[in-house]
Amino acid sequence: MSTAERTRVMGHGEASRVRHPYDPLSAEEITTAVDAVRRERPAGHPLRFPVVRLQPPPKDVVRRYSADAAGLSRSAFLVVYDRADAATYEVVVDLATSKVASWEHVPGVQPAIMIEEIRALDDIVRNDPAAVAALRRRGVTDLDLLQIDPWSTGTLPVPGVDGSRRIMRASAYVREFPEDNGYARPVGGLVFVIDCDERSVAAIVEGDVVPLPPESGNYDAASVGTLRDDLRPLEITQPRGPSFTVSGNVVEWQRWRLHAHVDAVEGLVVSDVGYLDDGRRRSVLHRANISEMVVPYGDTSDDFYFRNVFDAGEYNLGKTVASLALGCDCLGEIRYLDAVLADESGTPQTIRNAVCIHEEDYGILWKHWNFRYQDDAEVRRSRRLVVSAIHTIGNYEYGFFWYFYLDGTIQFEAKLTGIVQTRAVAPGETPAYGTLVAPQLDAPNHQHLFNMRLDVEVDGPHNTVLEVDAVGRPMGPDNPHGNAIVAERTPIRNERDGRRMCDPSTARTWQVVNPGVRNRLGQPVGYKLVPFVGPTLLAAPESDLARRAEFARAHLWVTRYDPRELHAAGDYPNQHPGDGIGRWSAQERDLENTDVVLWHTFGTSHLPRPEDWPIMPCDYVGFTLKPAGFFGRNPSLDVPPPAGHGGDHCHPGETHPEAR
Ligand SMILES: [Cu+2]
């Protein structure tokens, strides 16, 4: 980065002013941390910086913080990879003194695949004569338009390749021009194994030659041709501005206050989420973020069986965050947060408009018409604050949307869009593990399984999780007509019982209560997780993947808080046989009336449709957190009636006569 660019970064939005203990590292802090690390190493050591992030302060510091975090001690946490030794280090730098505070070698791990390693793939393949010959056998001769995609390789062995090396697999796609959708023409029966440190092709796995699919798959307006012309303008106006304020990374809206930022690994993070109730700020969530996700493909062929990706730990999800565009990604009165993230050389890079903050009308909040006595119904409009970011990871887009509502509800929604992964099939072949989405083009079945780490803090850190089932009781003396419905509440007392599954037949939820704080009715205050009722991992339990993605084999895990336990598949899933939630749960820590963390796995088993091609309309998965006894009554009674035209109430004169 040039000096001029760096000055611009520093000047933008007072990036160096710390307002909240969880404010992400500024460009200046990133540079300080990276320089401190470099000073510790003799010149000539080719250090790479896969992760540079804030070393979070103790939670109590965040709990005590009031309005301005200036003067707080700040530290940076770095994952450093030394290519000369193929060694990984975790380093903490004290930013006040610019000194390394700790430096630890982490044996036997591989940091996430780096963006620079992905960018190098095209050239590595083009410069390898055997790879070029294999491509020629498949009719691929224009190497300028070759597209090579990375595939984290897991622990499935590659014959003839040393699995302790830093390797990945790679697949090829053919384009007709640079912007062409390469996924329309996957090169079948060909896999390259890449040595990332040597920048070489370590092995080539060749199967049968499969002809390239015949059709292009472009979706830009020019490629589509005639566009529909009957959509009239739909405009969102907020003439008096939005109802929220943004100060640094702190967002305040209605009774809510929260901190939002983009983490290099986890992507969009919301933290320090609290609700102002009668002048008293009550905590709900200490920190919430995608802790890991896995996308396993279900095709058994030689060029597909290994395809599964852990987008957080294997690809640094957060670094794939995109700049958002007003009027396209978000509509209305928008405020943005930039993200400042280090690239692998340790240079801070600013992603403009990475987080979008806006308000949306959300239909009816509540309504009742007392038809005996009232001319007009009492109705209130629902409105939500939206905090969102969109990540582009290879062929897919993942939009992460947090919604905060007037009635205390919090919702998370992942929007899945982009381009499905594809495989070439011979003319006339019907895929066994996928769907034909275009002639000779198979979109293999796969899953998207997200794990949301919910570091809850319901009115303070002393929480207990209850599994709540709505159950019909058998007939008997207490239930002579068989109509009884009860709420069965089962405390999850220990990590031994912390692995839970959804049950749609009992409308199962998990309620986080604070046993020491009661509402006006004497009930413990609580919030309940209304889970996404969806699949868990479909890979066979004895498979390599099931060990590596253990988090995805249950809908919920509950653990006791430990600051070192952040990522459900461990910190280094790349080429790792498996770590994370299963190992932590085996500690069998008690979970009652203590600081607990919920890990919710949710997602979809994607059986592609022809309608998903050439670009997939958004699919939606997610969950809600609803107050359940947190308030003593509906907290949104004080929302004023909607103002109609000219400020009047709902202009009832326009009610259709037949509606009465
Ligand atoms: Cu999909």
Side-chain angles (χ1 to χ4, degrees):
M1 184 185 280
S2 71
T3 310
E5 280 174 311
R6 187 165 295 166
T7 308
R8 185 165 50 81
V9 168
M10 292 305 301
H12 184 82
E14 300 173 69
S16 56
R17 186 181 151 200
V18 178
R19 299 168 209 245
H20 187 282
Y22 282 159
D23 277 357
L25 296 182
S26 66
E28 185 183 33
E29 288 175 322
I30 289 171
T31 303
T32 300
V34 168
D35 287 350
V37 169
R38 286 195 192 286
R39 279 197 300 274
E40 294 279 319
R41 255 350 213 195
H45 274 261
L47 298 184
R48 310 316 292 163
F49 297 87
V51 176
V52 184
R53 55 160 38 152
L54 178 74
Q55 168 80 359
K59 284 167 91 169
D60 265 342
V61 170
V62 182
R63 292 180 186 127
R64 284 198 307 268
Y65 135 90
S66 54
D68 199 328
L72 275 182
S73 69
R74 304 255 296 168
S75 298
F77 170 87
L78 303 91
V79 175
V80 180
Y81 182 65
D82 186 340
R83 277 203 200 279
D85 306 337
T88 304
Y89 303 92
E90 290 183 352
V91 186
V92 175
V93 175
D94 175 30
L95 292 166
T97 60
S98 307
K99 292 253 165 53
V100 168
S102 75
W103 183 298
E104 271 181 50
H105 178 228
V106 190
V109 301
Q110 288 290 351
I113 289 172
M114 299 180 221
I115 292 168
E116 64 185 20
E117 291 171 332
I118 297 170
R119 292 221 170 100
L121 281 174
D122 290 1
D123 278 343
I124 291 172
V125 168
R126 274 185 210 125
N127 293 330
D128 185 89
V132 170
L135 286 162
R136 281 191 197 286
R137 279 192 283 281
R138 285 161 174 78
V140 183
T141 51
D142 189 345
L143 300 181
D144 287 342
L145 292 169
L146 193 63
Q147 171 188 323
I148 304 292
D149 275 19
W151 291 95
S152 49
T153 195
T155 45
L156 293 166
V158 185
V161 176
D162 176 1
S164 69
R165 299 281 309 166
R166 183 170 171 79
I167 54 174
M168 62 169 116
R169 287 173 163 97
S171 55
Y173 305 82
V174 173
R175 292 171 294 182
E176 293 185 326
F177 49 93
E179 301 80 19
D180 193 17
N181 175 5
Y183 299 101
R185 294 196 177 85
V187 178
L190 183 61
V191 178
F192 303 113
V193 182
I194 308 294
D195 186 313
C196 302
D197 289 331
E198 288 192 349
R199 293 171 55 97
S200 67
V201 178
I204 300 173
V205 181
E206 253 193 290
D208 293 339
V209 172
V210 187
L212 289 173
E215 283 186 6
S216 298
N218 294 305
Y219 42 82
D220 56 292
S223 303
V224 170
T226 309
L227 304 177
R228 62 184 76 181
D229 59 3
D230 50 356
L231 277 172
R232 294 178 183 156
L234 193 163
E235 285 166 6
I236 312 290
T237 56
Q238 292 181 275
R240 295 174 60 195
S243 302
F244 61 83
T245 58
V246 180
S247 171
N249 290 70
V250 175
V251 186
E252 288 185 83
W253 178 77
Q254 292 294 297
R255 307 287 183 263
W256 291 105
R257 191 184 83 200
L258 59 114
H259 185 272
H261 79 284
V262 176
D263 176 82
V265 180
E266 296 149 354
L268 181 61
V269 179
V270 297
S271 49
D272 196 14
V273 179
Y275 190 94
L276 194 67
D277 186 14
D278 257 345
R280 191 166 57 95
R281 187 161 188 271
R282 302 174 63 192
S283 59
V284 177
L285 271 175
H286 190 84
R287 194 177 196 272
N289 57 273
I290 295 291
S291 89
E292 191 50 271
M293 50 179 287
V294 64
V295 185
Y297 286 85
D299 188 287
T300 61
S301 53
D302 282 353
D303 55 0
F304 249 88
Y305 70 89
F306 57 85
R307 297 196 195 197
N308 57 71
V309 288
F310 293 64
D311 283 314
E314 287 184 336
Y315 290 86
N316 281 340
L317 175 69
K319 291 193 184 185
T320 67
V321 74
S323 281
L324 300 174
L326 183 60
C328 300
D329 299 302
C330 297
L331 215 51
E333 280 293 316
I334 309 296
R335 300 292 179 269
Y336 293 105
L337 302 179
D338 294 344
V340 181
L341 298 169
D343 66 17
E344 285 117 16
S345 73
T347 308
Q349 303 291 346
T350 298
I351 299 103
R352 301 263 172 216
N353 302 344
V355 178
C356 170
I357 300 159
H358 74 293
E359 287 174 292
E360 282 179 359
D361 179 274
Y362 195 62
I364 293 170
L365 172 62
W366 50 258
K367 172 168 185 160
H368 185 61
W369 178 35
N370 185 338
F371 66 93
R372 289 184 184 84
Y373 300 108
Q374 276 183 316
D375 288 338
D376 300 330
E378 288 290 332
V379 56
R380 302 294 181 269
R381 298 292 301 173
S382 179
R383 198 193 284 203
R384 61 189 186 184
L385 174 76
V386 188
V387 180
S388 66
I390 300 182
H391 301 266
T392 300
I393 310 173
N395 52 309
Y396 257 104
E397 259 75 11
Y398 295 106
F400 295 140
F401 288 69
W402 285 99
Y403 303 115
F404 299 86
Y405 292 86
L406 296 167
D407 68 346
T409 298
I410 302 173
Q411 180 188 0
F412 177 81
E413 182 176 71
K415 301 189 188 188
L416 287 60
T417 180
I419 304 173
V420 290
Q421 191 52 242
T422 53
R423 176 177 162 263
V425 294
E429 185 184 332
T430 303
Y433 303 104
T435 306
L436 214 54
V437 293
Q440 294 169 235
L441 192 68
D442 166 25
N445 302 332
H446 59 279
Q447 297 188 279
H448 305 260
L449 296 169
F450 304 87
N451 182 271
M452 175 64 67
R453 180 179 183 272
L454 294 164
D455 182 357
V456 291
E457 189 154 312
V458 177
D459 249 341
H462 303 290
N463 292 165
T464 301
V465 183
L466 311 173
E467 185 162 278
V468 182
D469 292 290
V471 178
R473 277 282 160 81
M475 285 172 90
D478 294 341
N479 185 24
H481 307 291
N483 64 314
I485 302 170
V486 295
E488 284 185 358
R489 294 190 170 83
T490 313
I492 300 172
R493 298 180 193 279
N494 186 281
E495 288 176 343
R496 273 191 300 278
D497 307 313
R499 179 188 164 140
R500 314 304 308 169
M501 297 299 280
C502 285
D503 187 348
S505 72
T506 66
R508 178 170 290 169
T509 57
W510 291 284
Q511 188 174 354
V512 184
V513 297
N514 185 329
V517 182
R518 304 272 158 170
N519 64 22
R520 70 192 185 99
L521 305 168
Q523 303 151 341
V525 297
Y527 254 80
K528 66 178 178 182
L529 167 62
V530 183
F532 185 82
V533 180
T536 49
L537 188 74
L538 293 173
E542 60 273 36
S543 65
D544 179 87
L545 180 61
R547 270 197 316 280
R548 302 184 60 232
E550 189 173 8
F551 73 86
R553 298 180 66 201
H555 291 116
L556 182 77
W557 304 75
V558 186
T559 62
R560 184 127 146 205
Y561 172 77
D562 181 326
R564 295 165 301 180
E565 298 172 0
L566 289 174
H567 306 119
D571 293 338
Y572 300 95
N574 190 19
Q575 295 183 251
H576 199 286
D579 193 14
I581 196 89
R583 181 170 66 80
W584 306 330
S585 295
Q587 298 171 80
E588 302 193 347
R589 292 165 291 192
D590 285 334
L591 296 173
E592 279 187 292
N593 201 14
T594 187
D595 195 353
V596 294
V597 179
L598 281 69
W599 310 73
H600 177 31
T601 297
F602 61 95
T604 171
S605 295
H606 187 178
L607 309 178
R609 311 167 296 155
E611 291 86 345
D612 289 335
W613 183 258
I615 187 163
M616 178 185 156
C618 278
D619 198 4
Y620 306 90
V621 296
F623 61 87
T624 52
L625 292 164
K626 277 185 169 290
F630 191 76
F631 303 105
R633 60 169 66 78
N634 181 345
S636 63
L637 293 179
D638 61 345
V639 173
H645 291 290
D648 295 338
H649 179 60
C650 296
H651 43 106
E654 292 175 28
T655 306
H656 198 282
E658 285 172 21
R660 290 288 165 95

